[in-house]
Amino acid sequence: KKKKKDKDVEDKKKQDDDEDDVKKEVIPNTISKCCYINDGGTEKVFFVGTGDYTGALWESSLEVATIRSVDKAPLDARNPVPSMSVLHTKLPKGVLVTHLSPSPSGRFLFLGFVDGRVWVVPLNHTGVHSVISLADSQVGAITTVFADEAERMLVIGAGDGSLTASQWNSEEMFQAAGRMQTERDLDMSEVSRSLTSTMPDLMGSDTEDWQLPTCENPGFCSFARDIQDDTHYSIQDAKLKTEEDHAKAQAEQKKARVRERIHEVRTELEELTSKNQQIPCNKLSTAELAVDQEYISFLAKDMMKQIEGVNFELAWTVEFHERGMQKLRDYYLNRLDFERIEVLGFRSPHRVSTFRTPSMSQELQQSLARLHELIFSADRESDNEEGLGDDPGSPGGRSMMRFDGEGGDGQNALANIGEGLTGAQQRELRRQHRQERKQEMIDLEKSKPSDAYDDPQDLEAIAHAEATLGNFMLKTSAKYQVPESQRMNAEKKRRQMFLLEESMHAIKTEFNHRVLALRDFRQQVRAEVQRDLAALQEIDQQLGQKTEWVVGLLDDPEGAPSEFPERRFDYDETDLKAFQRKLKGGDEMPEAEAPDQADAESPDRDEEEENESEEADPDAEEDEDDDREDDASEEGRGAAGSKKPKPTGKPTNEAVLQPMAGRSALAARRIARLTLRAQLLQQQGAKAGALGKAVYEEAQARLWHDRAQLGEHIKQVIDTFNEAVASIQKEKAKLESDLKNADLKLLVLYEELLTLNELEEKDDALLRKAKKCREDKTGIMHQIKECQDQLGDKKAEIEQWHSEEQNLQSEFMELVGENSLYLGALLKIYKKKVKRTKRKKGDEEDLDEDEDEEEEDSDMDEDEDEDDDMDDDAGPPPGCDVQIFESVIDLREKRLDMEDALQEIQRAVEELKKTHKKLLDDEKRIDKEQKQTGAEIQQFQTDKQRKLNQVEIVFALRLSQVQCLAQDGSSLERLPAELDSHVVFTNEGQQHLMSRITELHTEIREVKASHKQLQRDFKVRKKEKTQAALHIEDLNAKFQDIQMLKFGQTVDLDLIERSAPDKYVQELRAKVSEAETDHRKKLSEWEKRIEKQKKELAKVTCDNTSLMEQIVSMGYSQMQLDAALNARIANVTVNDNEPLIELREIERERMKDWLAVQSKEIATLQAEINLFRKKGGHIYTTVTANRGGPGR
């Protein structure tokens, strides 16, 4: 059942698959469009199609196709030749290609699609294309595309009946496609700008010259003329305008009906209000007159909803304009550190503006940060080097050694130190002093300068002269060599450009801050002058005069730029209302009449708002009535005193310009007093007497004086500010010239950078080569130093082994004795060469042992005689002590070990010498390569300098700076036509060279004087050296005399010190004596104990003897009993003596062994006694087993 079920499932799946195959639509592989192109002899076919060819442009070559005649083979009898097709361009999916044709030159392919698009595909890079969309996307299928011979115009025909001519920049498009194929990181914006800039102009034509048929001609379609009238609008526009006018008319009618109804309701409300006012009592309040409060709140809420709806509808428009404004601000303003701000003088032609300063880019700031970090690190390193150079303990310091003619102080000091010491301690002290003097002498020899040593001060002076003297050879000279400090590469040039841009930005920033400070100062001047003008106006009113020259003093000229352009985005309600009036066409209306007109235009709107406000807040009228009463009372109280001006929305000039402190405040208070006095006098008129007239005249005089003082102060302030503006304006002119020169310098640096970028690859290669040479030289020097250190260590080891060998020789002499009879024989044995087996270390030495054995077998015949001499020793000389002989053998083994170690050291030294020689050869080779690389770098730098010299530079010269005058054919001096044979030189440089001559003479005199002083110092030092040498000779002679008096001959003190017991030996002897004393004490104790034990032994022996006697007696009795028993059984038993004989043999052998042991011990004791008899002899004992013997 299970198999049957599985079979049914499989059959069902097969049926479903067959049904799916039937449902799938099979699209055949057909070619819909194709075109033929002959590209320089290469025949190609481009085609598009359906099926597998859908969605791509394919290329197939005709090279594999064979040419056959129709006569030989008819078309139906030919077999197709297969050819490989290549996919070039992917086309839009699901869009049918309706046209495919090549351009006249064969460089482009034109593809037309059913949706009205045209693709222009360049054949040098088919991965890109240009799209032209002109026809209708629904019915505008492209039917034909044609280009003129120059390939500047395309004529496109579409299915919607349109025929379009389009300009076409074929050359630039073809070049851009080629660049896109070769350059991966191509800037498409630059390509777009290039295509746009080189686009040919559209040829002008008039439709009247087309000779198109009119509508009356039968068989032709009508042609619609273009509407050229600006006031004309189309039928659709007319329809829309009619609908708009109809909607406006309906809205106006509705507004009129609403206004009429509001007017009726308002009239009714006024009547009710007037009736309510006429009621004598129980009047209704405003809240009680409102019948439906819920309806009023509903209207208010509905109004708020409508306002929110309007705000929501306008939110997108507001954000759109805000975003646009923000984009403009970001593009034009946020990229600037300072925009152009102009500061004008007061009635002066002087004006100054800031530099428009763009912000430094992020890349430039990062590069400057890295550059400043490098500069700071270099400064820190130089400071550290200077700190190390000032260290008094540095290697550059000098040490002076003073030789005293008298050495009594040192000798007395040594004598004082040596008091109270033993002879051994004094010898040790003298030996330490000699070692210190020897070490000091070695250090002085090491610090002695060589013959090629140069004074560091001289080297520093030479380096300073080379650095500061200057090379006045022209850079264009063939012999000019670029100094290492002046060598330039692309990175250094970029750093120069970075620093120059930073300097320009800093100069502009600093100047702009000064201009902004001047602008702030202008505001202060304006405020101060306004206060003075207000005071002057008061005085003029009192005097009845008018100061004409102050009229318009602070006014800016017509067309002057804004003084605060950064406030362009700040606005208030007044600005918004003014802008609204401008939109309505009231921008030419005076500001005073504009609000009235606005109120007159919309009286109904004001009435509506008034009624709404009254309805919304019924208590507002009562509050307003109370406010009016309060205002009236205050106004009445103010009328009794002075007249209070009517408050307005804007503050008056008196309130703004009221001086608070300073000169203007004093003048204002004084003017107020004088004005009050003049008013009082005028009020009195004829009643005033002579005193009043005098006071009046005095007040007038004071007012005239104050008027003159204020005028002078105003002129002084204005002139001071104008002079500041003129000064900064003049300074800006100089800065502009300098900045323009800096811009020119930046252009020159950029051209030099381009030149250096071309040479950067070779420069990097040479630098890498030089760096490799330096690294190799450093490595070789380290290896040479290590090799030299190893040689020094090996030398020290050899010296140490030699000293140990001498110690071994002295030990041999001490062992044998100089007066020994066996010295010659033992010395021969000591010097004898003995064949020994070599010790091997590890498995590697075991492997080497086989090779050594093979070499030994090959050299066996040659070394027979030597092997005979190096046989084992037969024994000590006759009569020589065996112990001394064995000690000599041990010393010989030590000597042979030393010789083997010395041979290994010698072999290591030879290897090190070979390595050192090889390293020296490598050093010479590297020096040669380094020198060759340096020459290549120098030549490359020279060639680089020549190329940089070809970069043209621009500089400005005044006519007064040009002093290069030459005589022409006449006697007049004129500027030469060409400057090829002249050099541009500055006056400062010429004066420096002229003054340098005098400086050189002075320096030569100083150098000669210094040289003479050095010669005198040299003579003094030489004399001191001679005196020191004589002093040393005197000391040597004195030393020899002392030795001759003390020893009778010249003795080597070091040898005496070595032969004499040193401190260590003395300490050992003291320890030996202490040990002997302790041992003697212990021996005496042991002897006492032995005596005691002997007494006990004697007692025990006596007891044992008595017991033995008892045993003997008992033995005799036993023997008698045995004899008696044996006599009785003589006839029965046999006498057996074999066990007794065996016991006697065993006892005899035991006694022989004991006697042999005793003889050996006796011989050993005799040898020890002989050694003790000798003075200064060493005791070498052998350990014997079972020394006590069996019987002890």
Side-chain angles (χ1 to χ4, degrees), residues 1-15:
K1 290 181 181 179
K2 187 176 182 181
K3 291 182 179 179
K4 186 177 181 181
K5 187 177 181 180
D6 294 337
K7 187 175 181 181
D8 295 337
V9 172
E10 290 179 358
D11 294 337
K12 189 174 181 180
K13 287 183 178 179
K14 288 182 180 179
Q15 292 177 2

Side-chain angles (χ1 to χ4, degrees), residues 687-860:
K687 297 179 180 180
L691 180 59
K693 293 180 179 180
V695 170
Y696 177 76
E697 292 175 358
E698 186 264 342
Q700 292 288 328
R702 287 181 180 275
L703 289 175
W704 281 102
H705 175 73
D706 292 340
R707 182 172 179 270
Q709 290 292 328
L710 285 174
E712 292 179 0
H713 181 257
I714 292 171
K715 290 180 180 179
Q716 182 181 1
V717 172
I718 295 297
D719 293 341
T720 302
F721 177 76
N722 291 337
E723 289 175 0
V725 174
S727 175
I728 296 183
Q729 182 184 8
K730 185 177 180 180
E731 185 175 352
K732 186 191 176 184
K734 295 180 181 179
L735 287 178
E736 285 178 342
S737 176
D738 296 339
L739 292 173
K740 185 59 66 178
N741 291 329
D743 290 336
L744 296 176
K745 179 65 175 177
L746 194 61
L747 292 176
V748 173
L749 292 178
Y750 178 71
E751 293 181 1
E752 293 178 352
L753 178 62
L754 296 179
T755 304
L756 292 173
N757 285 333
E758 297 176 357
L759 305 174
E760 186 71 14
E761 184 176 358
K762 187 175 180 181
D763 196 0
D764 293 340
L766 290 175
L767 289 177
R768 287 194 297 270
K769 188 175 180 181
K771 183 179 179 181
K772 183 178 179 299
C773 291
R774 287 194 298 269
E775 291 176 353
D776 295 343
K777 180 69 177 292
T778 305
I780 289 293
M781 294 302 294
H782 284 303
Q783 294 179 6
I784 291 174
K785 187 177 182 303
E786 292 176 358
C787 188
Q788 291 176 353
D789 294 340
Q790 292 177 4
L791 285 173
D793 296 339
K794 295 297 180 184
K795 184 178 179 182
E797 291 180 4
I798 291 172
E799 292 178 355
Q800 184 179 0
W801 282 111
H802 282 308
S803 62
E804 291 182 359
E805 186 176 2
Q806 292 176 2
N807 294 333
L808 194 63
Q809 181 72 21
S810 62
E811 186 177 354
F812 172 77
M813 294 302 295
E814 291 177 359
L815 177 63
V816 178
E818 296 180 359
N819 301 323
S820 177
L821 297 176
Y822 308 103
L823 179 61
L826 293 176
L827 183 61
K828 185 177 180 181
I829 293 171
Y830 175 74
K831 295 292 185 181
K832 189 176 182 179
K833 295 183 180 180
V834 180
K835 181 180 179 182
R836 303 189 309 160
T837 58
K838 297 181 180 179
R839 303 175 193 175
K840 301 296 180 180
K841 296 181 181 179
D843 297 336
E844 296 180 357
E845 296 182 356
D846 293 339
L847 296 174
D848 296 338
E849 187 176 358
D850 299 336
E851 299 177 359
D852 295 339
E853 290 177 357
E854 293 176 0
E855 293 177 359
E856 289 176 0
D857 294 337
S858 62
D859 299 338
M860 184 65 71

Side-chain angles (χ1 to χ4, degrees), residues 12-30:
K12 189 174 181 180
K13 287 183 178 179
K14 288 182 180 179
Q15 292 177 2
D16 294 336
D17 294 337
D18 294 339
E19 290 177 1
D20 293 339
D21 293 336
V22 172
K23 291 179 181 179
K24 289 182 180 178
E25 182 181 358
V26 179
I27 301 176
N29 296 331
T30 59

Side-chain angles (χ1 to χ4, degrees), residues 883-1103:
Q883 196 67 30
I884 295 175
F885 175 75
E886 291 179 355
S887 300
V888 171
I889 295 299
D890 293 337
L891 292 176
R892 185 179 65 182
E893 291 295 329
K894 292 181 180 179
R895 183 184 62 81
L896 292 175
D897 292 338
M898 288 182 184
E899 288 181 355
D900 293 340
L902 285 173
Q903 288 178 2
E904 292 180 0
I905 293 173
Q906 289 293 343
R907 285 195 295 270
V909 168
E910 292 297 329
E911 292 294 332
L912 289 174
K913 286 183 178 179
K914 291 180 181 178
T915 305
H916 187 261
K917 184 178 180 181
K918 182 180 178 182
L919 291 175
L920 291 177
D921 295 338
D922 293 341
E923 183 185 5
K924 292 180 181 178
R925 176 181 57 80
I926 291 173
D927 290 339
K928 185 177 179 181
E929 291 180 358
Q930 191 173 8
K931 186 176 181 181
Q932 183 179 1
T933 304
E936 292 178 1
I937 291 175
Q938 184 62 48
Q939 183 63 32
F940 176 72
Q941 294 294 334
T942 304
D943 297 339
K944 185 193 294 184
Q945 186 63 45
R946 289 175 182 172
K947 290 186 178 181
L948 292 177
N949 292 339
Q950 295 176 1
V951 177
E952 296 182 356
I953 62 174
V954 180
F955 56 92
L957 287 178
R958 295 188 180 90
L959 190 60
S960 59
Q961 292 179 290
V962 180
Q963 299 180 3
C964 180
L965 302 176
Q967 292 184 356
D968 52 3
S970 61
S971 59
L972 299 176
E973 292 184 349
R974 297 180 180 179
L975 288 175
E978 296 180 356
L979 297 176
D980 296 339
S981 59
H982 297 76
V983 178
V984 178
F985 215 84
T986 61
N987 291 331
E988 184 180 357
Q990 184 181 8
Q991 293 175 1
H992 175 69
L993 289 178
M994 294 174 66
S995 61
R996 182 61 182 161
I997 298 173
T998 307
E999 293 176 0
L1000 288 175
H1001 288 303
T1002 306
E1003 291 179 1
I1004 290 171
R1005 286 195 298 270
E1006 292 177 355
V1007 169
K1008 287 182 178 180
S1010 177
H1011 180 65
K1012 290 180 180 180
Q1013 182 64 31
L1014 290 175
Q1015 287 180 345
R1016 288 193 292 269
D1017 295 341
F1018 176 73
K1019 292 178 181 179
V1020 172
R1021 298 290 185 272
K1022 189 175 182 181
K1023 187 176 180 180
E1024 292 178 356
K1025 181 181 179 182
T1026 305
Q1027 293 177 359
L1030 294 175
H1031 181 65
I1032 292 171
E1033 290 178 359
D1034 294 339
L1035 292 176
N1036 287 330
K1038 186 178 179 181
F1039 175 71
Q1040 291 179 0
D1041 293 341
I1042 292 172
Q1043 284 190 342
M1044 293 299 292
L1045 291 173
K1046 190 172 183 180
F1047 303 107
Q1049 62 180 356
T1050 303
V1051 181
D1052 189 1
L1053 296 178
D1054 294 334
L1055 183 59
I1056 294 174
E1057 290 293 337
R1058 286 197 298 268
S1059 62
D1062 55 359
K1063 184 179 179 180
Y1064 181 68
V1065 174
Q1066 291 177 0
E1067 291 177 355
L1068 289 177
R1069 287 181 178 178
K1071 291 180 181 179
V1072 168
S1073 62
E1074 292 177 358
E1076 287 179 352
T1077 305
D1078 295 337
H1079 292 160
R1080 288 191 189 97
K1081 293 179 181 180
K1082 291 180 180 179
L1083 283 173
S1084 62
E1085 293 177 357
W1086 280 105
E1087 287 175 355
K1088 293 178 182 179
R1089 293 174 65 182
I1090 289 171
E1091 292 293 332
K1092 185 178 179 181
Q1093 294 296 328
K1094 282 181 179 181
K1095 291 178 181 180
E1096 293 178 356
L1097 180 62
K1099 184 179 179 182
V1100 172
T1101 304
C1102 292
D1103 295 338

Side-chain angles (χ1 to χ4, degrees), residues 106-386:
R107 298 184 300 173
F108 299 92
L109 280 179
F110 302 139
L111 285 85
F113 297 92
V114 72
D115 57 358
R117 283 182 291 178
V118 176
W119 279 19
V120 180
V121 180
L123 294 182
N124 61 343
H125 185 16
T126 56
V128 298
H129 62 274
S130 178
V131 183
I132 302 174
S133 299
L134 295 174
D136 189 88
S137 61
Q138 300 294 330
V139 296
I142 303 300
T143 57
T144 182
V145 179
F146 183 77
D148 60 348
E149 293 297 332
E151 293 185 349
R152 293 186 179 181
M153 179 181 291
L154 286 178
V155 179
I156 302 171
D160 58 354
S162 63
L163 185 64
T164 309
S166 176
Q167 292 298 112
W168 178 37
N169 194 354
S170 60
E171 293 295 334
E172 189 65 28
M173 185 184 298
F174 191 77
Q175 293 178 5
R179 290 174 60 192
M180 292 175 67
Q181 187 176 8
T182 57
E183 301 178 14
R184 298 298 181 188
D185 300 332
L186 186 61
D187 190 2
M188 297 306 298
S189 60
E190 181 181 355
V191 174
S192 178
R193 288 194 299 271
S194 177
L195 287 171
T196 305
S197 61
T198 58
M199 180 69 72
D201 297 333
L202 186 66
M203 293 183 298
S205 61
D206 191 1
T207 55
E208 300 294 337
D209 301 334
W210 289 4
Q211 299 178 1
L212 295 175
T214 60
C215 298
E216 289 79 9
N217 292 333
F220 293 97
C221 61
S222 62
F223 176 71
R225 300 288 181 177
D226 292 339
I227 299 175
Q228 299 179 356
D229 189 4
D230 296 336
T231 60
H232 191 278
Y233 48 88
S234 62
I235 298 174
Q236 182 69 17
D237 293 339
K239 183 179 180 181
L240 294 175
K241 190 172 180 60
T242 302
E243 292 177 355
E244 182 180 0
D245 294 341
H246 182 66
K248 286 183 178 180
Q250 290 180 352
E252 291 294 334
Q253 291 177 3
K254 187 175 181 180
K255 286 167 64 178
R257 289 195 296 271
V258 170
R259 287 174 181 170
E260 290 177 358
R261 179 59 182 162
I262 290 172
H263 182 69
E264 293 175 358
V265 173
R266 181 178 294 175
T267 305
E268 186 177 359
L269 179 61
E270 290 177 354
E271 293 177 355
L272 292 175
T273 305
S274 60
K275 290 179 180 179
N276 185 36
Q277 293 294 333
Q278 293 175 1
I279 295 175
C281 60
N282 296 329
K283 295 182 180 179
L284 297 176
S285 62
T286 308
E288 292 174 346
L289 288 175
V291 179
D292 194 353
Q293 293 290 342
E294 294 181 359
Y295 180 70
I296 294 174
S297 61
F298 172 76
L299 290 178
K301 291 179 181 180
D302 184 58
M303 179 65 69
M304 294 302 297
K305 288 182 180 180
Q306 291 181 4
I307 293 173
E308 291 178 358
V310 172
N311 291 333
F312 181 76
E313 292 177 359
L314 296 177
W316 185 89
T317 305
V318 172
E319 186 174 0
F320 174 78
H321 288 89
E322 288 180 353
R323 293 285 182 90
M325 182 61 68
Q326 185 63 36
K327 288 182 179 179
L328 292 175
R329 187 183 304 176
D330 294 340
Y331 187 81
Y332 289 105
L333 297 180
N334 291 350
R335 296 183 180 182
L336 299 177
D337 286 344
F338 296 94
E339 58 179 312
R340 191 177 185 276
I341 299 173
E342 192 169 1
V343 179
L344 308 178
F346 297 106
R347 284 189 182 178
S348 173
H350 301 295
R351 59 176 61 192
V352 63
S353 62
T354 58
F355 291 104
R356 191 176 185 271
T357 309
S359 302
M360 290 191 294
S361 63
Q362 191 69 22
E363 294 81 3
L364 179 59
Q365 293 179 7
Q366 294 176 358
S367 302
L368 287 173
R370 291 193 297 267
L371 180 55
H372 287 305
E373 185 176 356
L374 289 175
I375 294 173
F376 293 154
S377 62
D379 293 339
R380 286 195 297 269
E381 290 178 0
S382 62
D383 294 340
N384 294 334
E385 291 177 359
E386 291 177 1

